[in-house]
Amino acid sequence: MSDTRSTDVHSETTDTTPDSDLGEAGSQLSTAPVEVAMPGSFGGSRAPGAWGWITWTTREVTGWARWFWRQLTSMRVALILLFLLSLAAIPGSLIPQTGSDALKVQDFKDSHKTLGPLYDKVGLFHVYSSVWFSAIYILLFISLIGCIVPRTWQFIGQLRGRPPAAPKRLTRLPAYATWRTDADPEHVREVALKALRQRRFRAHVAGDAVAAEKGYLREAGNLAFHIALIVMLIAFAWGQLFKSEGNKLIVEGDGFSNTLTQYDDFKSGNLFTDDDLVPFSFRLDKFIGTYERTGPNKGTPRTYQANITYNVGAYGKDQKTAVKVNEPLNIGDAKVYLVSHGYAPVVTVRDGKGDVVYHDAVPLLPIDSNVTSQGAVKVYDGYRNAQGQTDQLGFAAFFVPTFAGAGKGTMFSQFPALDFPVLAVSAYHGDLGVNSGIPQNVYQLNTKNLKPFKDAKGDLVKARLLPGETMQLPGGNGSITFDKQVKEWAGFQIVQQPASGWALGGALAAIFGLAGSLFIQRRRVWVRATAGPDGVTVVEMGGLGRSESAKLPEELGDLAGLVHDQAPTKTDEKEDADPDQEPGAETPVPAAEGAQKK
């Protein structure tokens, strides 16, 4: 049994949906739009005649358009579109894409005669530029904007307004407290107003009660999350349309200028132009690589960096820096990444008269972690055979930086460093296909139109060369020498992807906004103080949250304790005097007890 002398704060499991008793007090706790079900026919009864048909058709079209817009801008549809976008992106990760690797796409078509044409028709080889992916992307974009814009204006209106006045019956609120006090109603309201403002509530006196509200950051976080999604969508779209990505293999001592003709391979977005390339150039001074010599991590790189000299613009000053793995060189919107490394043995080729027709470092591509490498040496011009006839030479090359040794039964490298370099070559001559107009790989030797040089036994001429050694071609047709120098090369990837900073900022904003919308509760508190029939002030406190929360009754109990300290419960000394209490002892405050019923 409870009486009017004690503070009673309780939590009910009643529905917090605004009803006629709460009125405006229970409204606008959220900026989420109210979903309207389709009522059926929007045109109603059709009047006779042509004008009636036109009027009815206009109402039908307008009604359906409004209903469709409400559905498109609802949060449920936005989540469905976001889920569909995630599903649509899966084929782009599993199926080779034309924009990233056209050769793999062609290989897939050649290997899958049935699936290849089918995938091509539905756009699975160019997912991110396909019609269906773009449709989902654009619908999601429109849905988010159509949902956020009205909610933002509504939220701004709420920030500029004041918390609504107290409902008629505070007892219907999920958190409620009441007691009687000798303090004046005006004094109680002043104390409540001060206590609420100390707790960072927006509060004001409305009639016979103090109205307060807190937790606006919940809606702000919700809006920030969805705005951040729009920023991320725009940033990703912008980055895909204007991005560029190219690769370049550079031997020590050689340089690179950021123009299309300098790239080994290059791909870009649909709206990218040559003028978007950042003007810069650099030279590879030296590649430094050291490796673990012993232990379970033998062969693992310890030092892996490219020392370069670069300049920005046509008249920029030379600057030196080191590019390492995951530590790119940033120049404007461009980033220069170190992605690969290998060796380039220096070879000299002489013709039948002993004249040098080729002298250069030949970059070879690694095929394992110990940098066993293979490639080709091609001599297109300047070579004449023993009869003085113009010809072309081709050498298939196989290089190991650390040879296992003769008789070991393997030609694969034993360690990635240059401990025991050996170059194996085999010789061919004929048409290298340079004038055929068909693109060819400079690191591979196509022997289709070539004739092998043969020794006295009729076998292919080949040799394993140490630095400084020479292989003579039969019939006085020249020679190839492995010079006593092995240069190193580095593979660089130059990437320009604008709006990446916006995408990162949008992702961070989305995380913080989502955290705010999940962990901050928006709630309202009212403190009503009125004079009862017997002249004693009746204090009522009620709280309402957007959703059920165990913290709301607890918070209301704390507020009630602050107000109760300044407006204590009215006591009857004759009825309530405790015979065991010592004279002058402080009367306990009931507000601190039963602050929340569980």
Side-chain angles (χ1 to χ4, degrees):
M1 178 177 181
S2 61
D3 53 41
T4 58
R5 298 173 300 157
S6 64
T7 302
D8 183 19
V9 181
H10 61 276
S11 174
E12 300 180 359
T13 58
T14 58
D15 187 8
T16 59
T17 303
D19 53 22
S20 56
D21 293 326
L22 300 181
E24 185 184 2
S27 67
Q28 296 183 343
L29 269 175
S30 171
T31 58
V34 179
E35 295 188 7
V36 180
M38 186 181 67
S41 175
F42 296 96
S45 300
R46 186 172 64 183
W51 179 252
W53 182 86
I54 294 174
T55 305
W56 178 84
T57 303
T58 303
R59 288 198 303 262
E60 280 287 306
V61 173
T62 304
W64 278 103
R66 289 177 177 175
W67 178 84
F68 179 78
W69 178 254
R70 291 192 188 102
Q71 300 306 310
L72 180 61
T73 57
S74 66
M75 194 56 58
R76 180 181 66 252
V77 172
L79 291 175
I80 292 175
L81 289 173
L82 189 61
F83 177 69
L84 290 177
L85 190 69
S86 302
L87 289 180
I90 294 177
S93 302
L94 301 178
I95 300 174
Q97 300 295 291
T98 305
S100 58
D101 198 331
L103 293 177
K104 285 187 177 180
V105 173
Q106 188 59 46
D107 291 341
F108 186 92
K109 291 181 179 180
D110 295 339
S111 303
H112 303 80
K113 298 299 183 181
T114 303
L115 289 179
L118 179 62
Y119 284 3
D120 200 10
K121 288 182 180 179
V122 298
L124 293 181
F125 292 124
H126 49 90
V127 169
Y128 305 112
S129 59
S130 63
V131 175
W132 49 272
F133 188 88
S134 301
I136 299 174
Y137 198 93
I138 293 173
L139 284 176
L140 176 60
F141 192 77
I142 295 174
S143 177
L144 289 174
I145 293 179
C147 179
I148 289 172
V149 171
R151 292 184 67 172
T152 301
W153 286 114
Q154 183 180 351
F155 182 62
I156 292 175
Q158 292 180 17
L159 291 177
R160 296 177 62 182
R162 288 186 170 187
K168 294 181 180 180
R169 291 191 295 171
L170 294 179
T171 54
R172 293 186 59 85
L173 298 179
Y176 176 77
T178 182
W179 71 91
R180 289 158 54 89
T181 180
D182 290 329
D184 295 335
E186 293 183 359
H187 175 69
V188 175
R189 288 191 285 269
E190 291 177 0
V191 171
L193 184 64
K194 182 179 179 181
L196 288 168
R197 287 179 174 173
Q198 287 178 347
R199 292 295 184 92
R200 297 188 300 278
F201 277 83
R202 290 178 60 195
H204 71 106
V205 178
D208 60 356
V210 176
E213 189 168 2
K214 190 178 182 181
Y216 288 90
L217 287 179
R218 179 188 180 92
E219 290 302 320
N222 195 15
L223 292 174
F225 171 74
H226 292 91
I227 293 174
L229 286 182
I230 294 179
V231 172
M232 291 172 62
L233 288 175
I234 296 175
F236 289 146
W238 190 271
Q240 289 297 317
L241 291 173
F242 291 93
K243 75 173 184 178
S244 69
E245 181 180 308
N247 295 285
K248 180 63 178 178
L249 185 150
I250 305 176
V251 180
E252 290 176 333
D254 292 344
F256 168 80
S257 180
N258 194 26
T259 58
L260 286 182
T261 57
Q262 291 279 300
Y263 284 96
D264 295 333
D265 60 80
F266 184 85
K267 54 181 178 289
S268 62
N270 295 333
L271 299 182
F272 182 86
T273 63
D274 297 356
D275 296 334
D276 295 326
L277 288 172
V278 178
F280 70 90
S281 61
F282 66 89
R283 181 183 67 253
L284 176 60
D285 298 325
K286 186 175 180 58
F287 182 88
I288 300 176
T290 60
Y291 309 89
E292 292 286 350
R293 289 283 178 180
T294 57
N297 296 324
K298 181 181 179 181
T300 303
R302 298 182 59 185
T303 305
Y304 207 76
Q305 70 179 46
N307 295 336
I308 66 173
T309 301
Y310 73 97
N311 57 73
V312 181
Y315 305 101
K317 295 182 178 179
D318 287 348
Q319 305 177 62
K320 292 184 178 295
T321 188
V323 181
K324 303 178 182 179
V325 178
N326 298 325
E327 295 183 20
L329 170 64
N330 296 294
I331 305 176
D333 291 334
K335 292 185 178 180
V336 181
Y337 292 91
L338 174 63
V339 294
S340 58
H341 158 257
Y343 293 104
V346 178
V347 299
T348 300
V349 179
R350 291 177 173 83
D351 63 8
K353 294 182 179 181
D355 297 331
V356 175
V357 294
Y358 183 91
H359 175 74
D360 202 355
V362 181
L364 305 177
L365 301 183
I367 60 175
D368 61 19
S369 59
N370 285 326
V371 204
T372 301
S373 307
Q374 63 182 8
V377 181
K378 299 180 182 181
V379 182
Y380 299 106
D381 302 315
Y383 171 77
R384 293 180 181 273
N385 58 24
Q387 290 75 33
Q389 298 173 343
T390 302
D391 203 355
Q392 295 178 343
L393 293 180
F395 299 89
F398 196 86
F399 177 78
V400 288
T402 302
F403 183 45
K408 297 293 185 180
T410 179
M411 187 59 189
F412 287 91
S413 177
Q414 305 301 301
F415 194 73
L418 288 171
D419 292 346
F420 189 3
V422 171
L423 176 66
V425 292
S426 53
Y428 299 84
H429 69 100
D431 184 10
L432 292 173
V434 67
N435 298 320
S436 64
I438 301 175
Q440 57 178 275
N441 192 329
V442 297
Y443 304 106
Q444 293 180 353
L445 184 65
N446 187 354
T447 61
K448 180 179 180 181
N449 297 319
L450 296 177
K451 297 179 180 179
F453 281 104
K454 295 184 178 181
D455 57 18
K457 297 181 180 180
D459 297 328
L460 174 67
V461 174
K462 56 184 178 179
R464 230 166 21 204
L465 305 177
L466 296 176
E469 292 185 344
T470 299
M471 181 184 77
Q472 297 290 337
L473 299 178
N477 285 301
S479 65
I480 180 171
T481 301
F482 178 18
D483 294 351
K484 294 182 178 180
Q485 183 181 12
V486 178
K487 293 186 178 181
E488 300 188 47
W489 60 260
F492 296 92
Q493 185 178 70
I494 296 90
V495 178
Q496 284 184 223
Q497 188 160 8
S500 57
W502 284 97
L504 176 60
L508 294 176
I511 293 174
F512 287 111
L514 182 62
S517 63
L518 292 177
F519 297 109
I520 298 176
Q521 183 193 18
R522 190 170 176 185
R523 62 269 193 205
R524 290 170 179 165
V525 173
W526 295 274
V527 182
R528 174 177 285 144
T530 57
D534 55 356
V536 179
T537 300
V538 178
V539 181
E540 291 183 288
M541 296 185 66
L544 177 65
R546 179 179 172 182
S547 58
E548 289 288 345
S549 173
K551 293 184 178 181
L552 181 61
E554 181 180 348
E555 186 175 31
L556 188 69
D558 294 339
L559 291 169
L562 295 176
V563 178
H564 187 273
D565 290 341
Q566 302 297 322
T569 302
K570 174 180 172 58
T571 58
D572 191 338
E573 294 182 357
K574 293 184 179 180
E575 293 182 2
D576 299 328
D578 188 353
D580 297 331
Q581 183 177 355
E582 297 181 3
E586 183 179 357
T587 302
V589 179
E593 303 174 2
Q596 178 183 3
K597 288 187 177 180
K598 299 183 180 178

